[in-house]
Amino acid sequence: MAQTTETPPADTPDGRAPSRPRAPGTPPTPRTPRIHRAWFVAAVTFVTIIGAAAFASLPGLLIEPLHQEFDWSRGTIGFAVSVNLALYGLTAPFAAALMDRFGIRRIVAVALSVIALGSVLTVWMTAAWQLVLFWGVLVGLGSGSMALAFAATVTNRWFVARRGLVTGILTAAGASGQLVFLPLLSWLVEHHGWRPAAVTVALAALAVVPFVWLLLRDHPADVGLAPYGGEYAEKPAPVTGAARRAVTVLFKAARTGPFWLLAGTFAICGASTNGLVKTHFVPAAHDHGMPVTAAAGLLAVIGVFDVVGTIASGWFTDRFEARRLLAVYYALRGVSLLFLPMLLAPSVHPPMLFFIVFYGLDWVATVPPTIALCREHYGEDSAIVFGWVLASHQVGAAVIAFAGGVARDVFGSYDLVWYASGALCAAAALMALVIRRPRTETVSLAGA
């Protein structure tokens, strides 16, 4: 007897195949929405990261006011910033695991509240250890839970198609927050002191909490949908032992070469962006006679072009080999940093504007290809692996944030740090090219 085969129906634009029979326990398939819910979740995530980005705009603006008011050395202030940056990174992999255990909404809402608490407590500090505790520890822990692992988790759960593009958009949210808040915060610091600026950061973090709690959903299955471009799957059971899983994934990943190359390149990425430019560009420009508001405005312009560059990088990541993109990004960044000491001046001039545009396009363009390589090599554990890679990013940033302040205290100039960072970026470009091509299939590291 001849066998008949049934041609499976084509997937709908949101990745669901409504004509396929439902498995027992699967909820009824709702009417296909005109716009997939994943895009609304991505929009809420974007707004959340923007609100939380206010804290990242402030450290570079605090160095001179705190130095003048409390007579703390720049190295001491840089140490508090380095604690913040290090905890930001070291918390990220545990936050990704905790999101698997307790859900995205709960973790992000708590993280935003901790950021607000740490920021507002700095208003009453009188000693350097309090700066380390409030800004370094509390804001560092809260911001670590709001790190790029948050964007990676949302992207992995809600998107199958357009992952590179969405990763670029969500990564750009941090730059957008810098764009929104940096001019305001610099104006507040210049005209009303640093305390109102700290309170503004706290209020911005709290303002986002209702959006997270009311609009964000942990998984497409929560609303009966498939991820965008994928097929419907039941929501996995909560994963217990979040801390153990994060450490287990680290140990397994640490046995592979790509992990160390990704961690090394991303450490240099953090050193040359958050640790150096975001923390020390404003005081370095001020050393050359540039007003703080003008220098802060240049950082905001970096934020504008960072949005363009990061979204473009996500688009490129969907189409080109990620490791080659990383090599190009790091090489171009290194060249630009080598020229920066010659461009600093009392006023803004065309070569400086060219640097700002060029550097802005490359600021975090490295994130989408790095996340893509983590996903290709480590599969379902990629968000946690990226959390550990991000930890190396922030450790690199922390080292340079502290070393930059010490270098300024010792040599009276940041020039040595700019040149060293340019050389490190050249090394990162070579490391990116060494990363081998991923295997066709990836396995769960936690269960290996």
Side-chain angles (χ1 to χ4, degrees), residues 1 3 54 65 142 203 247 249 275 280 293 397 422-423 430:
M1 183 174 59
Q3 271 189 325
L203 294 176
V247 174
V249 169
H280 293 293
T293 51
L430 295 176

Side-chain angles (χ1 to χ4, degrees), residues 34-394:
R34 186 181 296 262
I35 301 177
H36 195 284
R37 179 67 176 267
W39 294 108
F40 292 102
V41 172
V44 173
T45 305
F46 187 89
V47 172
T48 302
I49 295 174
I50 286 178
F55 70 86
S57 303
L58 199 53
L61 303 177
L62 291 182
I63 292 179
E64 287 302 322
L66 294 179
H67 174 68
Q68 293 174 8
E69 178 172 340
F70 297 106
D71 199 28
W72 298 337
S73 70
R74 292 173 180 83
T76 298
I77 301 168
F79 176 72
V81 176
S82 72
V83 170
N84 176 293
L85 294 171
L87 286 178
Y88 176 102
L90 294 172
T91 305
F94 296 98
L98 286 171
M99 287 177 188
D100 287 342
R101 174 66 178 88
F102 297 105
I104 298 173
R105 286 196 303 169
R106 291 188 179 93
I107 299 303
V108 173
V110 170
L112 289 167
S113 301
V114 172
I115 290 172
L117 176 64
S119 184
V120 79
L121 285 176
T122 59
V123 172
W124 294 283
M125 68 182 178
T126 56
W129 67 266
Q130 294 169 333
L131 177 66
V132 175
L133 175 62
F134 300 151
W135 193 263
V137 176
L138 290 181
V139 176
L141 289 173
S143 60
S145 301
M146 283 291 304
L148 291 172
F150 170 41
T153 300
V154 169
T155 305
N156 287 349
R157 291 187 183 182
W158 281 90
F159 290 86
V160 173
R162 302 289 186 269
R163 275 179 171 171
L165 176 63
V166 174
T167 299
I169 292 172
L170 296 182
T171 303
S176 300
Q178 176 177 297
L179 168 65
V180 170
F181 289 105
L182 192 55
L184 171 63
L185 294 177
S186 64
W187 182 84
L188 286 173
V189 170
E190 186 81 6
H191 294 88
H192 300 284
W194 61 270
R195 288 179 176 83
V199 172
T200 301
V201 169
L203 294 176
L206 286 177
V208 182
V209 174
F211 291 94
V212 171
W213 196 255
L214 296 175
L215 301 177
L216 195 62
R217 292 294 179 267
D218 293 331
H219 195 277
D222 290 341
V223 289
L225 290 175
Y228 181 82
E231 296 184 355
Y232 181 86
E234 291 286 349
K235 181 178 180 180
V239 180
T240 58
R244 181 174 64 253
R245 183 184 176 209
V247 174
T248 300
V249 169
L250 170 63
F251 286 155
K252 297 293 185 181
R255 298 176 185 174
T256 66
F259 173 80
W260 291 107
L261 290 169
L262 288 169
T265 55
F266 224 42
I268 294 172
C269 178
S272 57
T273 54
N274 291 0
L276 183 59
V277 175
K278 184 173 285 187
T279 304
H280 293 293
F281 177 81
V282 171
H286 189 60
D287 284 347
H288 288 77
M290 184 180 294
V292 170
T293 51
L298 290 177
L299 277 186
V301 175
I302 285 180
V304 175
F305 287 95
D306 179 32
V307 173
V308 178
T310 307
I311 294 175
S313 178
W315 187 86
F316 289 141
T317 302
D318 285 333
R319 290 160 174 80
F320 300 103
E321 192 176 351
R323 64 194 186 102
R324 297 188 184 277
L325 288 176
L326 283 181
V328 172
Y329 295 156
Y330 285 121
L332 293 176
R333 182 184 300 177
V335 170
S336 66
L337 285 173
L338 292 176
F339 281 97
L340 181 57
M342 296 177 281
L343 302 178
L344 293 170
S347 60
V348 179
H349 49 86
M352 173 58 79
L353 288 176
F354 179 81
F355 167 83
I356 293 297
V357 172
F358 187 87
Y359 194 83
L361 291 172
D362 199 352
W363 178 271
V364 287
T366 55
V367 173
T370 300
I371 290 179
L373 287 169
C374 288
R375 188 183 299 122
E376 291 167 3
H377 282 279
Y378 304 110
E380 65 184 39
D381 292 312
S382 61
I384 297 177
V385 173
F386 178 70
W388 286 113
V389 172
L390 179 63
S392 71
H393 180 282
Q394 295 306 112

